[in-house]
Amino acid sequence: MHRKLFYPFLKGDNMATPAAEEIKNSKVEPLTRRKAWKALETHAGKMRETHLRTLFAGDPKRGERMTVEAAGLFLDYSKNRVTDETLRLLLQLAEESGLKQRIEAMFRGDKINVTEKRAVLHVALRAPRSASILVDGENVVPQVHEVLDKMAVFANRIRSGAWTGHSGKPIKNIVNIGIGGSDLGPVMAYEALRHFSNRDLTFRFVSNVDGTDFAEAVHDLAADETLFIVSSKTFTTLETMTNAHTAREWLLGKIGGHQSSVAKHFVAVSTNAAEVAKFGIDTANMFGFWDWVGGRYSMDSAIGLSTMIAIGPENFRKMLVGFHEMDEHFRTAPFEKNLPVLLGLLTVWYANFFDAQTVAILPYEQYLKRFPAYLQQLTMESNGKHVTLEGNPVDYTTCPIYWGEPGTNGQHSFYQLIHQGTRLISCDFLAFYRTVNKLGRHQDMLIANVFAQTEALAFGKTPEQVKAEGTPDWLVPHRVFEGNRPSNTILADELTPAMLGKLVALYEHSVFTQGTIWQVNSFDQWGVELGKALAQRIIPELENKTEPDLKHDSSTNNLIRRYRKFKE
Ligand code: F6P
């Protein structure tokens, strides 16, 4: 049952808001009233009783058939609890949800971020120079390339030693200060592409307002060889601005320099030139982006400046080419062969029809160690929503919880729960045929573990098999693996800059697919506001010398009083 309108201002004549216009034109039925949804509900009843052992036994070619290869990525989705009928219905759900039209609207630059009245054009960040994408009648592609070119000049100056600090020494250390999308992408990309990075440079990333983060990041750095990149779309974020001010004090304290040396040791990445100038950074050293780039979709914008300095402009461009290749695949491939669409639909399948609470991201590639953390913001800040685009409360589950660790570490910690726990956790295994670090038998062992895990999860071990191994009866139940635990296996050549771009775009568009089905706005994040506002109120209550007049609930008041009492 779809509940009534939540926000009365969207009713009747007030339908002139952009959100309402968008929705009026979309002609999409509420999710639970769509034909495919209802059919999936019935179908899921049967599928919940069906074991992957049966599905594989009934179709010897299943493991070859249920695969898709595109843009250099191979997806084996055969170890999912799906049949051809499931896929037909999920694809029908995508059609009925207007996915095709939504994709076109995004690529066209429509203001699909209706609550912030913005276009959503991270795809423009990797469009080739010759492309044309209009926002409010203006082609944004030349602006994108202008910034990329400016970044390249700057990155080369740092890499070559031509850019010098206050004492005339070249820069050796790059510290990116940012949080959320202004941190997670840069950290993840730096770690992922470390092999391609300039090893003469040291990279650090400061995000947390916890002073330890800054203190530890700089404790062994020479200030006169350090460049801070203050990365913040808004240039008002509490954590980033606090760390940026601390960095300025640290720098000036160390080099005993005048404020003017700030210009040699600080650059900014932001959409807010006024605040950048106020901070004292020369806006000539500011790298801009635009309100149509969401923070969590910005690692390939100027927010990737640290990445570009690390891997060089040429590799950065290769990464953009990878992104673009996946964009084109998403935009043009039929849904049944479309990697992001399939991944997105499978996530919807488990979240909504199997009550799955989480998705595990399991990269068997050490360089991708921060990829699960990166995906947490991308997925959960995008689709962790409780109302539809119109503001109606949803009557179905939206975004699952994403988490994960690189293999094989997780196998020796939480995989126990995936194999024998009581929850259904769908897993994405990511692996590469080749590694840049060829050490003995490591790679074969690593990949053997990927295949072993997906096999064990899907097929498990029956009581009969356990008994046949001579296990005493009392121990048998403990050693049984039910199996029927779903997974995707994604294989690719090697983790290169282009491949990283493809992988990130794959998940960006999977998130888009899911958000479209759930009819939520995947591009706002109002849910982060309340805590931020309350923190602003509480900060002076912790710092005031005189006892504050507290007006919170009794728990919060008590915690504040206790902290004040013990903090010195
Ligand atoms: O608080 C959430 C958020 O707005 C994210 O969406 C964003 O990536 C992060 O904060 C950082 O914002 P900014 O780049 O403006 O500092």
Side-chain angles (χ1 to χ4, degrees), residues 366-396:
Q366 187 64 18
Y367 284 124
L368 285 179
K369 66 181 181 191
R370 296 292 290 165
F371 196 59
Y374 172 77
L375 286 190
Q376 287 186 321
Q377 186 198 17
L378 180 67
T379 55
M380 297 195 273
E381 202 173 67
S382 295
N383 286 337
K385 308 287 161 68
H386 70 144
V387 293
T388 64
L389 286 161
E390 304 108 304
N392 293 330
V394 296
D395 53 358
Y396 43 84

Side-chain angles (χ1 to χ4, degrees), residues 179-182 231-235 237 240 295-296 377 381 525 528 532:
I179 197 163
S182 302
S231 298
S232 174
K233 183 173 168 182
T234 54
F235 228 71
T237 304
T240 302
R296 55 194 174 272
Q377 186 198 17
E381 202 173 67
Q525 57 282 321
V528 303
K532 282 187 193 173

